[in-house]
Amino acid sequence: MVNKTFYFALILTIVLMTISQNLFSQTDKKIPDYSMTERKDIPVEFTWKIEDLYPNDDAWKSDKDAAVDMISKVDALQKSWTESSSNMLSMLELISDINKKSGVLYAYASHQSAADIGDTKFQKMEGELQSIFVNYYAKLSFINPDILALGKDKLDTYFSQEPKLKPYSFMLYDILRSKEHILPEEQQKIVSMTGLFSGIPSKTANMLNDMELPSVDVKLSDGSKVTLNYANYVKYRGDKDPANRSLVMREFWNNMKNFENTFSILQDGAVKNHLFNAKVKKFENCLDAKLFNDNIPREVYTNLIKSVKENLDPLHRYLKLKQKLLKLDKYRYEDIYASAVPSVEKIYTFKESENLIKESMKPLGDEYQSALDEAYNNRWMDIYPNKNKESGAYSGGVYGVHPYVKLNYNGEYESVSTVAHELGHAMHSYFSNKYQPFVTSDYTIFLAEIASTFNENMLMEYMLKNETDDMYKLFILDAYLDQVRGTLYRQTLFADFELAMHEKVEEGKTLTADWLNEKYLSLTREYYGHDKGVTQVDDYIQREWSRIPHFYYNFYVFQYSTGIISSMALAEMVLSGGEKERDSYLTMLKSGGKDFSINILKEAGVDMTTKEPYEKAFKRFDYLV
């Protein structure tokens, strides 16, 4: 008979060992740190497979020369390209081939530049392409006027004569829709040439922010010293110690004060470029010019801002709840990135994040799972930070190859969610490229930000359903609510600010640092309830605008907000529905740009021209709070 005391001791030892092993397995997990490692020394398995584009620089140069040769053939076809359906097909196929090649050429240079912005070789390669293709697009200035001169009846005849022209029909009919805003050929050539320098404000701001601005050193509460580059700012702004959060945010943004006048000049130049393009194409304002291309009603933009401002109470309730959970006497803006469940610390290896993401996407079926396998098994992703790697994350599709996903993975749940987000973009590109001809494969940003936030919704729902630790569930729920805060509320704040910037310039005014600071601070205080005692927003936050790259992208950010509103509705449809709902969503991913985004989304089950999606989103957020 086993001695009971010994037996109890044995069981206790086993239990303690199990607990110890579990604790060890969690706390001992280490995410590789290559943040100060030269790009050439990063293990290849953690990098994207750039050789799928070109095996080396020589192959890239050879294909660049081939593109130049193809471009030279445009002139010979120009004079007679609308004289017959066959001539038109020859011209359009040549243009498609050139555009397809340009996508691969740009991807090779730009992805490697993003992986190491300190290597000027790739910047030079991008510069070469820019010169080539700006001239190429100027050369194509005859397309729109010639289609307008041809007219709808003749175009209809050509489509009936030549079935291979069908993929080009949406593009060509849309030219007819744009008649009032199409310039004569010679004027369009001049406007096209502005592409040689129009992107300089954005590129300069990115170079300053990501590489050249001097960083300050801070001493954290535990005595450790940290250099506040942007990666460390993101890491420590959500620190569990309120003193560290405050220190990091204040020092980072106070340091930006030294450069606010430079950034204001760059921002002013970018917005005035938007105004130039709007006015020369006979639009009353910049917003109408931007929305016209995808036929999005202006009301979608203005109703978004109006709806969010009318529904700030759920956000304020969430922030007050965070204050309570964080046990703070006063909730400050520097507390917004802190988890409301600071006692929970959990790190996921990249393999563990892969398993979570794949499991959460199972409701989308086998085809989606197979595409995810492709992404993970064939090195579509560049995973960890390295020295001089561009901050943030993105996904870029390359027709005929595969998408490329840039990450800066750190193992936290937010980083896992970012992987899911970027894979949403990648899957959208993958399916669009698989099911659409090149000419209609390029979907708009309005749709892109649905596929990405849809994946974040799916991941959150899976975690809430399968996580066994209630405290960690609370952590995940807080992370999701903070994502909605950041994507729905914060991006709408950005959209509000962006509209104000453009309206200021449209009045003939200049964007100065003082005006930008004052406007940004007032909006931030309004959205976060500063005057209502919800969130204390101190003056130094006024410079946050200078670090938002999307403000150079011409009314880009509102699509994050409309995207998450749409994705919340679609995720609910997929999870509560069956094959029909799943297939409706997948059909959206496979539709590329074959129709206007509003119509593609409406076919999937969400009509953004109505109040219903907005009301559902705010109701869902309020319920989760």
Side-chain angles (χ1 to χ4, degrees):
M1 181 177 179
V2 177
N3 181 284
K4 289 184 179 180
T5 303
F6 172 77
Y7 181 77
F8 175 75
L10 178 63
I11 294 299
L12 181 60
T13 301
I14 292 172
V15 170
L16 290 174
M17 285 178 64
T18 302
I19 293 173
S20 175
Q21 288 170 356
N22 288 338
L23 287 173
F24 180 79
S25 65
Q26 179 57 46
T27 59
D28 192 56
K29 286 179 183 176
K30 288 187 178 180
I31 303 301
D33 182 6
Y34 299 109
S35 60
M36 298 306 294
T37 303
E38 298 287 347
R39 177 68 182 180
K40 62 182 176 59
D41 297 323
I42 303 297
V44 68
E45 63 268 25
F46 300 142
T47 65
W48 46 28
K49 200 173 183 181
I50 205 72
E51 59 267 29
D52 284 348
L53 295 166
Y54 296 105
N56 50 50
D57 293 352
D58 289 339
W60 177 89
K61 185 179 183 303
S62 176
D63 217 28
K64 181 196 70 174
D65 293 340
V68 171
D69 182 62
M70 292 169 69
I71 291 170
S72 68
K73 297 176 181 178
V74 170
D75 292 334
L77 298 178
Q78 177 184 347
K79 292 182 180 179
S80 61
W81 84 282
T82 58
E83 290 181 1
S84 69
S85 58
S86 59
N87 286 3
M88 179 173 285
L89 179 63
S90 296
M91 173 64 85
L92 294 177
E93 286 183 337
L94 174 61
I95 292 172
S96 285
D97 289 342
I98 295 169
N99 292 344
K100 196 184 304 180
K101 193 176 292 291
S102 77
V104 184
L105 288 165
Y106 267 112
Y108 183 82
S110 64
H111 292 332
Q112 292 190 90
S113 179
D116 186 358
I117 58 178
D119 191 334
T120 59
K121 175 179 72 172
F122 300 114
Q123 296 172 33
K124 291 177 181 177
M125 291 166 73
E126 285 187 277
E128 289 179 41
L129 293 176
Q130 184 183 34
S131 296
I132 291 168
F133 286 102
V134 163
N135 286 307
Y136 161 65
Y137 292 128
K139 186 188 289 285
L140 296 182
S141 299
F142 65 87
I143 295 288
N144 290 349
D146 284 359
I147 290 297
L148 292 179
L150 189 67
K152 184 178 182 300
D153 291 342
K154 196 69 173 178
L155 205 54
D156 291 341
T157 300
Y158 284 176
F159 286 132
S160 64
Q161 291 175 347
E162 179 52 79
K164 290 182 180 179
L165 280 174
K166 185 177 180 181
Y168 301 94
S169 61
F170 178 70
M171 176 190 75
L172 295 176
Y173 283 131
D174 195 45
I175 291 174
L176 299 179
R177 179 182 72 92
S178 308
K179 181 177 180 179
E180 293 180 11
H181 306 289
I182 291 176
L183 299 175
E185 181 178 346
E186 290 305 313
Q187 291 181 26
Q188 183 57 49
K189 283 183 180 179
I190 296 172
V191 172
S192 296
M193 293 299 290
T194 64
L196 287 170
F197 53 80
S198 60
I200 288 176
S202 175
K203 287 184 177 181
T204 305
N206 286 341
M207 182 62 71
L208 287 170
N209 276 320
D210 288 334
M211 187 172 178
E212 294 187 345
L213 290 186
S215 301
V216 294
D217 293 329
V218 297
K219 188 175 182 180
L220 301 180
S221 57
D222 64 359
S224 61
K225 291 184 179 179
V226 173
T227 298
L228 271 188
N229 54 29
Y230 189 68
N232 280 332
Y233 164 72
V234 171
K235 179 179 180 180
Y236 289 104
R237 69 185 179 183
D239 194 84
K240 62 183 179 181
D241 187 335
N244 287 340
R245 298 197 294 267
S246 179
L247 173 69
V248 165
M249 290 195 75
R250 288 174 184 275
E251 290 300 315
F252 185 86
W253 293 114
N254 283 334
N255 183 49
M256 293 297 288
K257 179 175 176 57
N258 298 318
F259 314 99
E260 61 184 10
N261 289 311
T262 298
F263 282 107
S264 69
I265 292 170
L266 293 172
Q267 191 66 70
D268 183 65
V271 174
K272 285 178 176 174
N273 178 62
H274 302 162
L275 180 61
F276 168 79
N277 284 308
K279 287 299 185 181
V280 297
K281 293 182 180 178
K282 303 175 185 176
F283 288 98
E284 289 188 12
N285 54 67
C286 298
L287 180 59
D288 288 346
K290 175 64 176 180
L291 298 179
F292 180 84
N293 288 338
D294 198 28
N295 203 25
I296 297 173
R298 183 183 179 90
E299 291 72 24
V300 171
Y301 195 101
T302 56
N303 285 343
L304 169 68
I305 295 174
K306 182 174 182 290
S307 295
V308 168
K309 285 187 171 180
E310 290 173 350
N311 288 275
L312 290 175
D313 284 346
L315 172 64
H316 295 168
R317 282 209 311 125
Y318 169 59
L319 298 175
K320 294 296 287 185
L321 181 58
K322 283 195 70 171
Q323 177 187 348
K324 182 178 179 180
L325 291 170
L326 287 167
K327 300 178 181 178
L328 299 172
D329 293 332
K330 180 175 286 187
Y331 190 78
R332 307 157 304 169
Y333 191 81
E334 52 254 44
D335 296 315
I336 62 175
Y337 296 103
S339 168
V341 194
S343 60
V344 177
E345 295 182 5
K346 197 167 187 177
I347 294 295
Y348 298 93
T349 64
F350 194 71
K351 183 62 180 178
E352 287 173 331
S353 74
E354 175 186 347
N355 294 336
L356 287 176
I357 290 169
K358 286 182 176 178
E359 287 295 320
S360 67
M361 302 303 158
K362 277 190 173 179
L364 293 176
D366 292 341
E367 188 177 16
Y368 199 93
Q369 287 291 313
S370 295
L372 286 174
D373 288 338
E374 287 278 324
Y376 280 100
N377 297 338
N378 296 319
R379 287 176 46 213
W380 290 8
M381 290 174 275
D382 202 83
I383 301 170
Y384 300 111
N386 58 251
K387 186 177 181 181
N388 290 333
K389 185 176 180 180
E390 185 182 73
S391 60
Y394 70 67
S395 173
V398 185
Y399 197 90
V401 187
H402 58 71
Y404 282 78
V405 177
K406 186 200 73 178
L407 303 169
N408 280 283
Y409 189 76
N410 64 17
E412 296 176 0
Y413 178 76
E414 180 183 8
S415 200
V416 178
S417 187
T418 297
V419 179
H421 177 107
E422 298 304 337
L423 283 173
H425 288 307
M427 294 301 102
H428 197 174
S429 297
Y430 172 82
F431 284 114
S432 289
N433 293 351
K434 181 178 179 179
Y435 286 95
Q436 293 295 320
F438 174 76
V439 68
T440 56
S441 64
D442 191 17
Y443 52 85
T444 66
I445 300 301
F446 190 82
L447 290 179
E449 295 307 335
I450 296 172
S452 56
T453 52
F454 176 93
N455 277 17
E456 292 182 75
N457 276 283
M458 297 291 283
L459 177 64
M460 185 274 296
E461 296 289 356
Y462 173 82
M463 296 296 288
L464 291 182
K465 183 178 180 180
N466 293 278
E467 177 60 49
T468 56
D469 184 335
D470 284 344
M471 188 59 70
Y472 196 65
K473 281 186 179 183
L474 185 60
F475 170 80
I476 292 168
L477 188 57
D478 173 54
Y480 176 74
L481 288 170
D482 192 63
Q483 176 222 341
V484 178
R485 175 202 62 78
T487 309
L488 176 52
Y489 286 101
R490 188 169 188 252
Q491 298 295 336
T492 302
L493 186 162
F494 288 170
D496 204 346
F497 180 67
E498 191 173 9
L499 182 59
M501 282 195 294
H502 284 81
E503 288 176 344
K504 183 78 171 175
V505 168
E506 287 162 3
E507 292 170 1
K509 306 293 177 55
T510 294
L511 300 179
T512 64
D514 288 343
W515 184 89
L516 290 163
N517 288 345
E518 181 182 350
K519 185 64 180 178
Y520 189 84
L521 183 62
S522 66
L523 284 174
T524 305
R525 286 177 167 170
E526 177 185 0
Y527 277 73
Y528 283 90
H530 175 85
D531 294 336
K532 296 180 179 180
V534 179
T535 308
Q536 179 177 312
V537 182
D538 291 334
D539 288 350
Y540 71 89
I541 295 302
Q542 64 188 339
R543 288 176 285 277
E544 194 176 37
W545 61 267
S546 62
R547 201 57 173 74
I548 311 299
H550 300 78
F551 288 153
Y552 295 92
Y553 300 168
N554 195 11
F555 293 107
Y556 184 104
V557 295
F558 86 98
Q559 295 159 123
Y560 284 120
S561 301
T562 56
I564 197 169
I565 289 169
S566 302
S567 68
M568 289 170 78
L570 288 166
E572 183 180 349
M573 287 168 50
V574 169
L575 290 171
S576 62
E579 289 187 16
K580 178 182 177 183
E581 287 73 18
R582 179 198 69 194
D583 291 345
S584 292
Y585 176 70
L586 292 177
T587 297
M588 186 194 83
L589 299 186
K590 297 172 182 178
S591 295
K594 70 175 186 178
D595 197 353
F596 295 119
S597 301
I598 287 286
N599 297 337
I600 292 174
L601 183 55
K602 189 181 295 185
E603 289 179 11
V606 178
D607 186 354
M608 288 299 292
T609 63
T610 67
K611 291 183 178 181
E612 184 181 4
Y614 300 94
E615 292 172 350
K616 282 186 175 181
F618 292 120
K619 184 177 180 180
R620 177 66 173 162
F621 182 82
D622 196 42
Y623 168 77
L624 291 174
V625 172

